[in-house]
């Protein structure tokens, strides 16, 4: 609501029970261990200590990731009456984890590379920093293999895969 910042409000909005962690001050940056069922097994480090930090303490949720060296759940999913809530109590910036969550939520994933993809209005735009060979999976089931230059944005017809802007 732009004015409230507390655990009770987070619990109400997400439908997932959260509580504030009281972590001892440390010079180490937090490391997140992704180890949930079906999730990509990976770790990623946050660039700064987080204080305060919330943890998922909902017994009806499924743990997806923990704070390294603890049992504190920092990414979880919970099936609600009419939806599924995915809660990350901190910045989720691991591309493999985000792709997993998006797929689980029913989103279409256009490629497995760490590119920015925007789709809509029968257009597919792919921005890549590193460039290289890409296999794009169109929503209609067709696959398109393309070579993208580094630091480029390419535009395709989302149905046919025809290049509209190299």
């Amino acid at each position: 609501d732009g004015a409230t910042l507390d655990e009770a409000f987070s619990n109400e909005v997400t439908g997932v029970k959260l509580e504030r962690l009281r972590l001892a001050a440390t010079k180490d940056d937090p490391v997140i261990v992704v180890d949930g069922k079906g999730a990509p097994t990976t770790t990623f480090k946050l660039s700064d200590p987080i204080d305060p930090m919330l943890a998922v303490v909902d017994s009806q949720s499924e743990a997806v990731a923990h704070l390294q060296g603890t049992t504190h759940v920092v990414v979880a999913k919970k099936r609600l009456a009419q939806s599924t809530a995915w809660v990350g109590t901190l910045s989720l910036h691991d591309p493999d984890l985000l792709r997993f969550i998006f797929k689980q939520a029913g989103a279409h994933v256009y490629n497995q590379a760490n590119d920015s993809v925007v789709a809509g209005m029968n257009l597919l735009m792919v921005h890549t920093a590193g460039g290289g060979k890409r296999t794009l999976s169109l929503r209609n089931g067709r696959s398109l293999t393309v070579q993208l230059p580094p630091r480029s944005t390419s535009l395709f017809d989302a149905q046919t895969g025809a290049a509209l802007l190299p």
Side-chain angles (χ1 to χ4, degrees), residues 2 5 16 61 65 69 74 98 107 123 126 140 146 150 152 162:
L5 182 62
V16 178
S61 68
V74 293
L98 290 171
L123 298 173
V126 181
N140 62 13
V146 295
S152 68

Side-chain angles (χ1 to χ4, degrees), residues 1-4 9:
D1 68 357
T4 307
F9 185 67

Side-chain angles (χ1 to χ4, degrees), residues 38-98:
T41 303
T42 187
T43 62
F44 59 95
K45 183 183 272 194
L46 301 177
S47 60
D48 292 304
I50 307 291
D51 188 32
M53 181 186 285
L54 296 176
V56 177
V57 293
D58 194 312
S59 63
Q60 295 178 3
S61 68
E62 181 181 328
V64 176
H66 296 84
L67 189 59
Q68 187 176 50
T70 74
T71 59
H72 299 305
V73 176
V74 293
V75 181
K77 78 174 186 176
K78 180 180 178 181
R79 296 199 190 286
L80 303 172
Q82 297 181 20
S83 63
T84 299
W86 286 86
V87 175
T89 64
L90 39 83
S91 174
L92 301 181
H93 60 272
D94 181 80
D96 292 329
L97 176 59
L98 290 171

Side-chain angles (χ1 to χ4, degrees), residues 10-153:
S10 296
N11 294 341
E12 178 185 338
V13 168
T14 64
V16 178
K17 187 172 184 206
L18 306 168
E19 76 178 24
R20 186 179 293 218
L21 295 178
R22 309 272 189 244
L23 299 175
T26 176
K27 293 192 299 186
D28 297 330
D29 295 333
V31 175
I32 308 310
V33 178
V34 180
D35 55 3
K37 181 181 176 182
T41 303
T42 187
T43 62
F44 59 95
K45 183 183 272 194
L46 301 177
S47 60
D48 292 304
I50 307 291
D51 188 32
M53 181 186 285
L54 296 176
V56 177
V57 293
D58 194 312
S59 63
Q60 295 178 3
S61 68
E62 181 181 328
V64 176
H66 296 84
L67 189 59
Q68 187 176 50
T70 74
T71 59
H72 299 305
V73 176
V74 293
V75 181
K77 78 174 186 176
K78 180 180 178 181
R79 296 199 190 286
L80 303 172
Q82 297 181 20
S83 63
T84 299
W86 286 86
V87 175
T89 64
L90 39 83
S91 174
L92 301 181
H93 60 272
D94 181 80
D96 292 329
L97 176 59
L98 290 171
R99 266 192 295 278
F100 169 75
I101 291 171
F102 294 156
K103 286 179 184 177
Q104 293 290 306
H108 181 79
V109 175
Y110 287 90
N111 78 18
Q112 298 301 313
N114 299 335
D115 300 322
S116 296
V117 178
V118 178
M121 306 284 295
N122 203 34
L123 298 173
L124 174 63
M125 182 178 67
V126 181
H127 175 77
T128 178
K133 184 178 178 180
R134 299 290 190 268
T135 300
L136 305 177
S137 299
L138 304 180
R139 292 185 68 90
N140 62 13
R142 294 183 63 193
S143 289
L144 173 66
T145 301
V146 295
Q147 183 72 29
L148 300 176
R151 297 177 309 280
S152 68
T153 300

